[in-house]
Amino acid sequence: MNFEQNPKIEELLNSYIDDELSADERSEVQRLVRENHTIAQRLRQLERCKAMVNSLPPAEPPAEVVAGIKELIRSRSAGAVASEIEKQRGTRHLFIRQALAASIIIGLVGIMGAVVYKIVGPEETALPIVAVNPAPAIKPEVIPVETKKAVAVAAAEDTTSIGLYSLQLQTADFAAVDAYVNKLLEESPWLRYEATKDQPGKSAYRILCSTAGLESLMNDLATVWSKFDSTTLIVRTDNIGQYVTVASVKPEQIADIARQNTTDGRVKLANDFAILNSVEQIMPDEKMLAATDRPMPELTTIPKPVLTSGDKNAATAPKGAWDQVQVDLNIVVTGHK
Amino acid sequence: MQKWRKGDPNAIEQLVCKYQGRIYNLILKICSNPDDAAELTQDTFVKVIENIGKFESRSGFYTWAFRIAVNLTLNYRKRKATVGFTSLDAELAAGDEQVRQGLAAILSDDKAPDPAQIAENRELCELIQKGIRKLDDEHRAIIVLRDIEGMDYAQIAEVLGTELGTVKSRLSRARAALRQILEAL
């Protein structure tokens, strides 16, 4: 038999000696071996050849293999660590460059925004806008310097004078209301005032009086307060050019603010009134009862206004009206345009 | 293996000590050079350790590690062949005549050979090893895997990355070639 021409028989014999045949295949091989002497001889050759190879003694690995493996792992790990460090360094460098570029871009955008705002934005107002105060920023009306010079120089030089700055009142019935205010000031000898009426539908009064005199004046103005559509008090702060605006201000609130001994006290109370008034506008039915009926340390205690009689004699000077001139207030009454 | 996977630093040494013998012998039988075998054994273990996460326990560790070792060795042999591999013919020609007769007797004798007797005969072992070296790399690898390492056909197919039928036919051709080489010595 030529095994080179029948490779499948040789494969079968190899599988037989390797015990890789099924029972049927083994039986078939055993039958072939019994019947064919050449196949039997080849089977024995294969078995001997396999046995010879299998008899080869194993070689002993050199002792330095373990040390070599450890060294290889150490060097590769060090290389990997160095590579990782380089990678991180590169990443960090890239991050710094990106952050720098982002900062420059943000800065440029900010500058461009400022330039654009300067061009198209609204005109700057000298008044600060209290965040919770919904009233629009109103430019304080200032009595002309010439008029100021004409009145109460003593008050202007008085270092203790309270600069409430401006009370701006807007009414639809300008003529009647202004006439009332004008008459009220004329009949209040405990205060000094200067009236400026250089524009139709607008009257400006600079008033110099004591806190008690201002309280009396506010009580008198309260009788026509409902005639005003808008009442805004602008209070000066210690910082030049900074003001607190109290919208929907009430006469008693003005008296209370004026009664504070320090600018800080006046500013703080003005801020509190601004907040209270804005909340009242949002929730007109709630008023501020819930907030004021129970003691809340974080809220400013609002002193009750001292109301005076509505039919008091205007010519009667309130107690202490002339003790010292303390209040310097501009009252501006305007009608609707 | 579990210790190594859990990060035990001493596990590397234990792993190498446990498996290096078989892996070194496998590589040595294929590449026929102790120095190359030592180096390739180191490379095999480094690759094993680096890829230990990819080892799936369903296949035996030896099967997985042997595949790495055989691939590294055969690739190394291919690279070396391109730069001029030394033929073994000259070495075979220098064999002892008495040893040759002993080998011929074993091959032609109807009695089964005694493995202990062969192992004790250093010259005979050397002659058989020379015969194995004369095989081409693929035949040598499959002979070593089956007849020295005792792997079954399925394991050999996994190590070599071939079909089971290919293993059968290749092993058959490899044994036939070895028999012819040994008979010719």
Side-chain angles (χ1 to χ4, degrees):
Chain A
M1 173 176 282
N2 189 341
F3 288 100
E4 289 178 358
Q5 291 177 348
N6 299 285
K8 284 295 171 188
I9 292 178
E10 184 122 5
E11 276 183 36
L12 207 59
L13 295 176
N14 277 289
S15 296
Y16 179 80
I17 64 171
D18 289 333
D19 199 18
E20 293 276 350
L21 295 177
S22 64
D24 291 343
E25 287 172 326
R26 286 189 69 80
S27 300
E28 180 62 18
V29 170
Q30 286 165 355
R31 186 187 65 79
L32 285 171
V33 169
R34 278 196 307 270
E35 294 175 357
N36 191 307
H37 174 72
T38 310
I39 292 175
Q41 191 178 17
R42 177 52 60 93
L43 181 66
R44 284 194 294 274
Q45 285 176 336
L46 288 171
E47 284 175 336
R48 283 195 292 271
C49 192
K50 178 182 175 180
M52 277 197 298
V53 173
N54 187 252
S55 301
L56 292 174
E60 194 65 28
E64 64 268 19
V65 168
V66 177
I69 291 165
K70 284 185 171 179
E71 183 57 34
L72 271 174
I73 290 171
R74 194 162 33 245
S75 63
R76 289 197 184 193
S77 299
V81 169
S83 171
E84 185 64 24
I85 289 170
E86 278 302 312
K87 191 178 169 187
Q88 285 180 358
R89 201 174 285 164
T91 306
R92 198 180 304 130
H93 187 229
L94 181 64
F95 175 76
I96 291 168
R97 285 167 59 188
Q98 286 175 336
L100 194 62
S103 303
I104 292 169
I105 290 169
I106 290 169
L108 288 172
V109 168
I111 292 168
M112 285 178 63
V115 169
V116 170
Y117 181 80
K118 195 80 177 172
I119 295 167
V120 302
E123 285 186 18
E124 281 187 16
T125 174
L127 299 174
I129 298 170
V130 177
V132 293
N133 191 342
I138 301 168
K139 201 164 187 175
E141 295 287 343
V142 181
I143 295 173
V145 177
E146 295 79 15
T147 311
K148 282 183 183 174
K149 283 180 182 175
V151 296
V153 176
E157 292 173 352
D158 185 359
T159 53
T160 61
S161 99
I162 299 169
L164 285 184
Y165 203 70
S166 180
L167 172 63
Q168 305 198 0
L169 305 169
Q170 193 173 45
T171 176
D173 192 5
F174 172 76
V177 170
D178 186 55
Y180 176 81
V181 170
N182 204 44
K183 186 171 183 291
L184 188 64
L185 292 174
E186 284 178 357
E187 293 176 353
S188 301
W190 62 88
L191 59 80
R192 296 178 183 174
Y193 76 98
E194 178 66 35
T196 304
K197 300 177 184 282
D198 52 1
Q199 291 180 41
K202 180 178 178 180
S203 296
Y205 306 92
R206 186 184 182 191
I207 297 164
L208 301 171
C209 63
S210 65
T211 52
L214 183 71
E215 185 178 315
S216 178
L217 176 64
M218 289 300 117
N219 285 337
D220 292 334
L221 279 176
T223 58
V224 293
W225 206 258
S226 59
K227 297 282 186 183
F228 298 117
D229 303 319
S230 167
T231 58
T232 303
L233 177 70
I234 298 167
V235 180
R236 197 197 311 266
T237 70
D238 281 339
N239 298 324
I240 298 171
Q242 287 191 359
Y243 305 84
V244 176
T245 303
V246 185
S248 304
V249 70
K250 299 173 181 63
E252 62 270 23
Q253 289 177 341
I254 297 169
D256 289 338
I257 292 168
R259 207 178 293 121
Q260 302 303 308
N261 294 326
T262 62
T263 306
D264 280 348
R266 288 191 291 274
V267 168
K268 187 178 178 187
L269 191 55
N271 271 320
D272 290 341
F273 282 139
I275 295 167
L276 291 172
N277 294 350
S278 66
V279 173
E280 274 192 3
Q281 284 194 334
I282 296 167
M283 298 183 294
D285 295 333
E286 296 294 326
K287 298 293 182 184
M288 292 308 294
L289 290 176
T292 56
D293 280 355
R294 62 177 186 275
M296 296 184 75
E298 67 275 15
L299 291 176
T300 303
T301 304
I302 305 166
K304 281 190 174 181
V306 179
L307 298 177
T308 55
S309 170
D311 56 351
K312 75 174 184 62
N313 186 352
T316 305
K319 187 181 177 182
W322 288 106
D323 292 347
Q324 190 178 15
V325 175
Q326 294 175 312
V327 179
D328 180 359
L329 177 65
N330 298 313
I331 298 177
V332 180
V333 183
T334 56
H336 288 295
K337 291 180 181 176
Chain B
M1 289 302 298
Q2 296 300 324
K3 280 184 184 176
W4 164 246
R5 281 185 162 182
K6 287 175 182 172
D8 184 352
N10 295 324
I12 294 178
E13 192 161 347
Q14 292 172 12
L15 181 87
V16 175
C17 289
K18 186 175 180 181
Y19 298 107
Q20 67 168 338
R22 283 186 68 178
I23 290 176
Y24 172 78
N25 272 280
L26 169 74
I27 293 170
L28 179 63
K29 295 288 188 304
I30 297 172
C31 78
S32 309
N33 183 304
D35 292 338
D36 290 346
E39 197 172 316
L40 287 165
T41 302
Q42 291 176 4
D43 291 345
T44 300
F45 272 104
V46 170
K47 223 170 175 58
V48 163
I49 290 164
E50 285 177 347
N51 294 280
I52 199 79
K54 297 176 185 172
F55 168 59
E56 294 174 0
S57 300
R58 61 180 173 78
S59 64
F61 176 74
Y62 272 122
T63 308
W64 181 67
F66 275 18
R67 180 167 187 163
I68 293 172
V70 169
N71 283 339
L72 279 174
T73 307
L74 293 180
N75 287 337
Y76 171 79
R77 294 275 301 171
K78 279 179 189 171
R79 285 200 307 274
K80 201 164 184 178
T82 58
V83 294
F85 184 69
T86 307
S87 171
L88 295 171
D89 289 350
E91 293 180 49
L92 290 172
D96 186 279
E97 185 61 32
Q98 194 179 349
V99 176
R100 288 168 190 271
Q101 287 175 356
L103 180 60
I106 292 170
L107 286 169
S108 59
D109 196 353
D110 281 349
K111 288 188 294 182
D114 180 4
Q117 191 183 354
I118 295 171
E120 284 174 4
N121 192 330
R122 190 180 167 191
E123 288 78 11
L124 183 60
C125 287
E126 187 62 29
L127 201 59
I128 296 168
Q129 283 173 347
K130 285 180 179 177
I132 292 171
R133 282 180 222 151
K134 195 152 173 60
L135 294 169
D136 66 48
D137 289 348
E138 280 191 342
H139 286 169
R140 189 163 50 251
I142 202 166
I143 289 274
V144 171
L145 288 171
R146 178 67 194 103
D147 294 342
I148 294 177
E149 295 301 332
M151 293 188 128
D152 62 32
Y153 287 7
Q155 289 173 322
I156 294 170
E158 198 172 336
V159 168
L160 298 178
T162 58
E163 297 294 322
L164 201 61
T166 306
V167 172
K168 286 181 181 176
S169 59
R170 189 181 294 175
L171 183 62
S172 178
R173 289 196 301 273
R175 278 177 175 157
L178 180 62
R179 182 178 49 78
Q180 287 173 357
I181 290 168
L182 292 174
E183 284 174 348
L185 290 176

